[in-house]
Amino acid sequence: MDIEFNAFEAFEIAEKIERNGAKFYRKAAHLFNEASIRALFLQLPDWEIKHEEIFANMRKHLSEQSRQLRTFKPEHNSLLDVQAMAGLAVFGTNPDPSKEFTGKDSKKDIFKKAIEKEKDSIVYYTGLKSFVPDRAGKDKIDDIIKEEMHHICILNQSLEQRLSLGT
């Protein structure tokens, strides 16, 4: 059985992940009273929207290239990667991730959810890289992964600062 993976669709999923991330952070921002934390959670959506634009441009560039670049038939040993990516795609395309907030979430819980979402994005984008040829912009995916890792560092530092202050 041949399994085909459409990179065009994978980029659409990546765009949706970034849009959802922006929604998540906007909602989270309103759950904080502290100006510095609120500002951080209001800055994160801007970064996510920039990522969405990069993926949209990559998708557009891919659609302008030959059909040969759009669909990939992974080797048998990549089958698990495709299945893992499909599972993440379902998670990443949740219509409104901000609904995950119960209203009873602690500030610590909100930070932890944000960090987990960033980690899940990195896993998806790392898997996406294995299906995108170099000429289709694989280096841009690496750049986004680095930025997502930077988001994790910022969120972790803010969480640790909150915990050390006892807030």
Side-chain angles (χ1 to χ4, degrees):
M1 170 173 82
D2 268 349
I3 295 177
E4 293 186 348
F5 185 76
N6 186 308
F8 189 84
E9 292 169 352
F11 283 133
E12 286 180 327
I13 291 167
E15 290 169 54
K16 180 73 172 173
I17 289 170
E18 296 299 331
R19 271 192 304 278
N20 283 348
K23 284 181 189 177
F24 177 88
Y25 288 125
R26 282 186 199 106
K27 175 70 175 185
H30 297 291
L31 301 175
F32 288 94
N33 295 326
E34 301 90 348
S36 62
I37 301 298
R38 183 179 283 218
L40 169 64
F41 276 86
L42 287 173
Q43 186 178 23
L44 284 161
D46 294 338
W47 295 337
E48 301 297 348
I49 294 303
K50 286 178 188 171
H51 295 169
E52 178 189 358
E53 291 168 0
I54 291 168
F55 283 129
N57 287 332
M58 291 174 75
R59 185 171 47 86
K60 181 181 178 211
H61 180 71
L62 191 66
S63 69
E64 292 168 356
Q65 294 181 11
S66 73
R67 181 139 181 92
Q68 177 185 356
L69 282 180
R70 287 189 218 155
T71 303
F72 306 95
K73 292 181 181 178
E75 297 298 322
H76 179 68
N77 61 0
S78 296
L79 179 59
L80 294 176
D81 292 334
V82 175
Q83 291 170 347
M85 287 180 67
L88 283 172
V90 171
F91 170 78
T93 57
N94 178 354
D96 188 358
S98 66
K99 290 184 178 180
E100 292 179 32
F101 298 118
T102 63
K104 297 178 183 178
D105 304 289
S106 71
K107 306 304 184 203
K108 181 179 174 183
D109 290 338
I110 294 169
F111 271 99
K112 286 185 173 190
K113 283 182 185 181
I115 291 166
E116 285 305 311
K117 291 197 172 300
E118 293 292 339
K119 288 178 181 179
D120 289 341
S121 296
I122 290 170
V123 170
Y124 180 79
Y125 301 148
T126 300
L128 176 62
K129 271 181 28 178
S130 66
F131 296 99
V132 177
D134 291 336
R135 61 184 182 233
K138 189 182 288 195
D139 59 325
K140 291 178 185 169
I141 298 172
D142 283 329
D143 292 343
I144 291 174
I145 290 171
K146 287 176 190 168
E147 288 181 25
E148 300 290 3
M149 292 169 115
H150 181 66
H151 298 174
I152 291 171
C153 289
I154 292 169
L155 289 164
N156 270 326
Q157 287 172 351
S158 295
L159 175 59
E160 288 173 15
Q161 187 177 35
R162 282 187 67 80
L163 293 176
S164 70
L165 295 173
T167 59

